[in-house]
Amino acid sequence: MDGTEPRLVDDFTRHLVSQLRAYNGQRLPTARMRLRAAIHHGPVELADNGLAGAAVVNTARLLSSRHLYDALKADEGADLVLLLSDDVYRSTVAGGHTTLSPTDFRRVTVREKEYEADAWLRVPGRGARPVSPGWSGADPSRPPLGDGPEGGMVRHDYRGERINVNNFSAPVDLRGGVVGFGSTDG
């Protein structure tokens, strides 16, 4: 956690949705690009075929989740569906370090191969509606870019006075150490 995780969950996702919307606006409906995304964090190691480690495997399990496929199938208008691991959700959204609201997410249980964990599903611009047959995802009361708290106006307020970031300029051995964050107001 180096302070960029809230930006990845919030800004990057918002910009990805915007770019997908622009790209897809120039395509026939059958040629649209629709993406599944999963965000998790943890240590990784270089391997012959890229990266390895439990965090890589867990992210792949989240990305393979049936919940993402079902959300895309249930909402033909969605360009992106997002799944956050429970740790990422708690440290960013629930911790109040993004402009996103916890009500924009729905808790799901991901069961893929040997992996089982809670995760948090979001269809940007659609809210946290249950994914069920016949659900269109469309909400005419929300503006098309209604991810921001002002109905489309994006805030970049990360409650900076409550964030404590440690930057390390050299390798640090944190075995046995505790790294985290909190706030003075609980």
Side-chain angles (χ1 to χ4, degrees):
M1 181 69 161
D2 65 358
T4 58
E5 189 175 50
R7 305 270 329 252
L8 176 67
V9 169
D10 197 341
D11 286 349
F12 175 77
T13 303
R14 189 180 321 280
H15 291 289
L16 182 57
V17 169
S18 174
Q19 293 299 311
L20 281 169
R21 186 174 292 130
Y23 177 86
N24 288 336
Q26 304 298 314
R27 305 291 180 269
L28 295 171
T30 56
R32 284 177 46 229
M33 184 183 310
R34 303 176 76 213
L35 299 178
R36 295 170 290 117
I39 301 175
H40 180 58
H41 63 87
V44 298
E45 303 157 5
L46 290 176
D48 291 340
N49 61 346
L51 299 172
V56 175
V57 173
N58 293 346
T59 304
R61 300 297 182 249
L62 291 169
L63 193 58
S64 299
S65 170
R66 176 60 34 208
H67 297 290
L68 291 174
Y69 288 99
D70 290 346
L72 279 175
K73 185 177 180 183
D75 187 349
E76 288 295 324
D79 294 324
L80 177 74
V81 291
L82 173 67
L83 199 58
L84 301 181
S85 70
D86 192 53
D87 289 341
V88 169
Y89 172 83
R90 290 181 187 284
S91 66
T92 59
V93 178
H97 299 288
T98 70
T99 62
L100 302 172
S101 169
T103 60
D104 292 334
F105 292 83
R106 180 172 62 93
R107 185 191 338 228
V108 296
T109 301
V110 175
R111 291 180 186 92
E112 291 290 325
K113 297 186 179 182
E114 72 287 345
Y115 180 84
E116 182 174 336
D118 285 341
W120 296 86
L121 178 68
R122 178 171 180 251
V123 180
R126 304 295 200 236
R129 300 182 190 321
V131 176
S132 60
W135 176 64
S136 71
D139 182 354
S141 69
R142 288 183 69 138
L145 295 173
D147 292 339
E150 286 85 32
M153 298 298 293
V154 177
R155 286 180 32 217
H156 296 281
D157 170 11
Y158 293 98
R159 301 179 187 166
E161 71 279 359
R162 294 178 54 201
I163 296 176
N164 188 6
V165 176
N166 295 313
N167 291 307
F168 302 102
S169 59
V172 176
D173 183 354
L174 291 175
R175 287 177 284 187
V178 177
V179 177
F181 60 89
S183 66
T184 57
D185 59 353

